[in-house]
Amino acid sequence: MQSKTQRMIGVALVAISTIALALSVPPMIQRIRAHSASVAPPLWQGEIFGQTEFEHLGRPFSLTTVELPQGDPRPGAEVVIRWGDEETTLLTQGLDDPRLPGLDRHRDWLRIVAFPESAEIGSPEAAYEAAKALRSDTDAWRIVIVARRPTTQRDPDEWKAVRAKDWRQWTYTFIELGDAGLSRTDRIYADLDEAGWEYFAAGIVTPGVFRDASNALSVMNYPNYKGVHDVIDEMGWTWAAVGVEAMVLVLGGLMILLSLGSKGHVDRVLAAHDHRAAGDNPSPA
């Protein structure tokens, strides 16, 4: 393709895509703003609590990780949760990272979450102060341990290749430190009430579901990214239109840049080739 023709096509593509973007971006922004204004505020607020030993309601709490003995058929290690005289255990089942210390070892599947007992926290400043107070007065909070685990024990390598549809059947364990003692319940993700605190807590330990390496970074694969899905649905045709128009704009820009430098580049390559040819085949004396 001649440089001039290529440049004209590039200019046309840039002009068309720019006009199209000017027509489609404003309605997309309006749709996003309207959706944001209509979204209800979060029903629950919680703080991730990173300490493994503390006092709550007058009883000592501890969370320790015990390596399973050699030859034990169960994979991974065992997490022992003690509160006063009560105790319960959870198997890591290959979901943890033994190289990390404390709760960081289990951050992909287990968290200690504290819910404020008072009314909702209204400002970022208030939330920050409340988070600091949590370390000195845990009695003012509802303390819950939430853990995600597969319905059947898996080899760690098999877990990485979990199918996308499996997450709806993941089992979540909720261990609450309440007035009645240590209470433990198991729930399937698909059965969780979206308006309940269990759904909020489960989202903290719900990772992305990676079908394969080609789309591992896509937020569409994240089961707890309902908000992202809702925004994309609300944008409607503008989402696809802006995407296509942006690609056409980039393509047109590349064509213009290549057309400006292509002739000079070809001339330089031909001159270098002629120079080498003359050096390899000197004229006879």
Side-chain angles (χ1 to χ4, degrees):
M1 183 184 296
Q2 295 294 327
S3 298
K4 184 177 180 180
T5 303
Q6 179 178 334
R7 184 160 55 251
M8 292 177 61
I9 294 175
V11 171
L13 291 177
V14 169
I16 293 172
S17 59
T18 301
I19 295 172
L21 284 169
L23 295 175
S24 56
V25 168
M28 183 178 72
I29 294 175
Q30 292 176 0
R31 287 172 176 240
I32 295 174
R33 287 177 175 174
H35 175 74
S36 300
S38 64
V39 173
L43 296 175
W44 298 95
Q45 297 190 53
E47 295 289 337
I48 296 177
F49 195 39
Q51 298 185 27
T52 56
E53 295 185 1
F54 53 87
E55 291 277 337
H56 184 61
L57 300 179
R59 307 178 198 176
F61 172 88
S62 67
L63 185 150
T64 56
T65 304
V66 180
E67 300 295 335
L68 295 173
Q70 190 74 20
D72 195 303
R74 299 173 297 175
E78 187 176 52
V79 175
V80 180
I81 298 170
R82 296 186 180 92
W83 189 41
D85 297 331
E86 299 179 87
E87 178 181 308
T88 188
T89 60
L90 294 165
L91 288 176
T92 64
Q93 300 190 92
L95 299 180
D96 62 336
D97 188 344
R99 298 170 299 177
L100 300 176
L103 280 175
D104 286 340
R105 171 174 179 170
H106 312 298
R107 61 187 176 188
D108 288 337
W109 70 281
L110 181 146
R111 290 288 192 176
I112 301 176
V113 183
F115 293 93
E117 292 283 10
S118 59
E120 64 181 54
I121 301 171
S123 67
E125 294 78 12
Y128 176 75
E129 293 299 327
K132 289 198 304 182
L134 171 61
R135 289 163 174 76
S136 59
D137 183 17
T138 62
D139 291 351
W141 299 73
R142 289 175 57 199
I143 305 296
V144 177
I145 298 91
V146 56
R148 168 187 57 84
R149 57 190 176 86
T151 53
T152 56
Q153 294 184 359
R154 296 177 182 267
D155 181 86
D157 292 332
E158 293 179 357
W159 176 254
K160 297 176 183 177
V162 61
R163 293 178 301 173
K165 66 179 181 180
D166 287 350
W167 62 265
R168 293 187 179 278
Q169 297 304 314
W170 282 348
T171 300
Y172 289 78
T173 299
F174 303 97
I175 302 170
E176 185 171 2
L177 313 182
D179 295 331
L182 190 153
S183 62
R184 173 172 176 164
T185 57
D186 292 335
R187 302 282 301 280
I188 302 297
Y189 188 93
D191 296 337
L192 294 176
D193 180 7
E194 292 187 10
W197 67 265
E198 293 95 342
Y199 185 85
F200 171 86
I204 296 175
V205 293
T206 301
V209 180
F210 301 152
R211 293 174 182 163
D212 52 57
S214 65
N215 58 5
L217 298 181
S218 173
V219 296
M220 299 301 291
N221 292 334
Y222 283 66
N224 58 340
Y225 268 34
K226 183 177 181 300
V228 175
H229 300 166
D230 291 343
V231 172
I232 293 176
D233 291 341
E234 188 65 29
M235 285 190 290
W237 65 269
T238 62
W239 167 253
V242 170
V244 172
E245 292 155 7
M247 287 190 293
V248 173
L249 178 64
V250 172
L251 177 61
L254 288 175
M255 292 183 70
I256 294 173
L257 291 176
L258 291 175
S259 69
L260 294 175
S262 58
K263 185 176 185 303
H265 177 69
V266 171
D267 291 342
R268 287 193 297 272
V269 171
L270 292 177
H273 180 269
D274 293 342
H275 180 73
R276 287 195 299 269
D280 294 337
N281 300 290
S283 300

